[in-house]
Amino acid sequence: LVIGLGVVLLRWFKTQSGKKFFDLVKLKTPPFNKLLKKLYMARFSRTAATLIGAGVPLLQVLQITADAVNNYYISSSIERAAEKVKGGKSLADMLKGDSNFLSLVPSVIKIGEESGTMEEMLNKEQEQQEKKEEKRIMNGVHPSLRIIFRQNLIRSNDTLLIKNSTLENIKNFLSKQNSEDEDDGHYY
């Protein structure tokens, strides 16, 4: 009976109404609702900044980000805002006061719209949110686990440094070889 109910629920969650319900639960159920909303905002900001930086028109940016956030309610908010933007309204004004968006996001967009630096502003907002959440998560982790996390981060950073220095050494070696070959007048 329990397995049957589980199968039915899993199938229902894949339907449009099941997805809507689950997306609503994710936005409304503490303690994960705040973290998930920040995750959705980071997805929105990162995707929009990347697309804007690539020269994609704003209406297309909104259409793509509505799909990328992967939440029915936030996607609906983006689509409603896109309809108003089509009519000449400001994106920031259309998202301001929307309960599905953190209040910081429309403020950042407004500054970006006014200064012509929306890509930069969205990237900064997304980076700040990630740093803040990382710090909050680390503060909530038991001190012994914090040490393990930090060691793993240091190892990851060392690995990146080693990879980068190795690549730099290879690049220097090859450029040195090329300059010696040119000096000899021999071309291989």
Side-chain angles (χ1 to χ4, degrees), residues 68-87:
V69 293
N70 198 25
N71 183 286
Y72 174 81
Y73 296 96
I74 294 174
S75 293
S76 295
S77 292
I78 295 169
E79 290 165 358
R80 280 191 306 273
E83 285 302 314
K84 301 287 184 176
V85 168
K86 226 184 261 185

Side-chain angles (χ1 to χ4, degrees), residues 48-114:
T50 301
L51 294 169
I52 290 168
V56 177
L58 184 58
L59 291 174
Q60 278 185 286
V61 167
L62 295 174
Q63 180 182 14
I64 294 167
T65 55
D67 292 335
V69 293
N70 198 25
N71 183 286
Y72 174 81
Y73 296 96
I74 294 174
S75 293
S76 295
S77 292
I78 295 169
E79 290 165 358
R80 280 191 306 273
E83 285 302 314
K84 301 287 184 176
V85 168
K86 226 184 261 185
K89 302 284 185 180
S90 158
L91 175 59
D93 291 341
M94 296 305 96
L95 295 176
K96 188 176 182 178
D98 188 316
S99 64
N100 293 319
F101 273 78
L102 298 174
S103 60
L104 178 65
V105 175
S107 300
V108 166
I109 290 172
K110 184 149 188 89
I111 293 167
E113 286 175 334
E114 291 172 354

Side-chain angles (χ1 to χ4, degrees), residues 3 29 39 58 76 127 139 150 156 172-173:
I3 293 173
T29 307
L39 171 71
L58 184 58
S76 295
E127 288 169 8
N139 287 337
R150 285 199 179 121
S156 297
N172 289 338
F173 175 77

Side-chain angles (χ1 to χ4, degrees), residues 137-169:
I137 290 169
M138 288 303 289
N139 287 337
V141 172
H142 189 274
S144 61
L145 291 176
R146 231 183 281 161
I147 292 167
I148 293 168
F149 285 146
R150 285 199 179 121
Q151 286 176 340
N152 286 332
L153 286 173
I154 289 169
R155 282 191 200 131
S156 297
N157 289 337
D158 287 346
T159 303
L160 288 174
L161 288 173
I162 291 167
K163 286 179 183 176
N164 285 338
S165 64
T166 303
L167 290 173
E168 190 65 33
N169 288 338

